[in-house]
Amino acid sequence: QQPVQSPQAVILREGEDAVINCSSSKALYSVHWYRQKHGEAPVFLMILLKGGEQKGHEKISASFNEKKQQSSLYLTASQLSYSGTYFCGTEYFATGFQKLVFGTGTRLLVSP
Amino acid sequence: NAGVTQTPKFQVLKTGQSMTLQCAQDMNHEYMSWYRQDPGMGLRLIHYSVGAGITDQGEVPNGYNVSRSTTEDFPLRLLSAAPSQTSVYFCASRRTGLETQYFGPGTRLLVL
């Protein structure tokens, strides 16, 4: 089941902050965040593991609420290069294997 | 390392034709997955594999077959193409669960 992302789209001016939310109905083992530029493949930003470990980007942070199965991505002091579509991926066990499914994405546009 | 490679980059099929989308990785990753991306639908998991000889269905498996005979390769077969399968297909791999996933460049498929 796909996680639910909000908002669907965000428009920012350079230097402003944004928060993208992701929630799942499944018991999660990890949350992944990716950014995709138009016409390109998604690129890894960050992974948050159950238990609190984070791996990823220097200038972008995220949180993972294991009790609520929710994650948020924090984009601070946005840059033009932050524009793109952000996807959260949620990892859970199904039929004995770890399955990684993605949300419908959040479009972010940063203008000068 | 070439990472995750996909062929072809673009393909046009007629309804009813069959074809195989190729995916290969040279990172010795156990986990490999196929996603399709359609406007407004995000990335949807088609099939995935957790090792050679082990595959499982994702969210939208109907109309697609997979097999995994080697660690490196994970082909996706369309048995009888339908216009609803027009999409961009991404292959992805990761070392194990709870690890960073790397995406291939994608295959654009148009079914007429």
Side-chain angles (χ1 to χ4, degrees), chain B residues 8-80:
Chain B
K9 290 184 179 180
F10 182 71
Q11 183 73 45
V12 179
L13 289 180
K14 294 182 179 179
T15 297
Q17 287 184 317
S18 63
M19 81 160 294
T20 299
L21 307 185
Q22 301 291 345
C23 175
Q25 51 89 12
D26 61 357
M27 298 174 281
N28 201 31
H29 285 174
E30 290 296 322
Y31 283 49
M32 296 185 74
S33 301
W34 277 103
Y35 297 87
R36 60 176 290 174
Q37 185 172 29
D38 306 291
M41 304 295 287
L43 295 157
R44 291 183 292 171
L45 182 64
I46 304 171
H47 286 285
Y48 66 107
S49 170
V50 298
I54 307 171
T55 64
D56 196 15
Q57 294 183 348
E59 305 163 283
V60 288
N62 292 340
Y64 307 95
N65 277 358
V66 293
S67 61
R68 183 117 176 255
S69 56
T70 67
T71 299
E72 295 78 20
D73 301 299
F74 190 42
L76 179 71
R77 298 181 186 85
L78 283 70
L79 301 178
S80 179

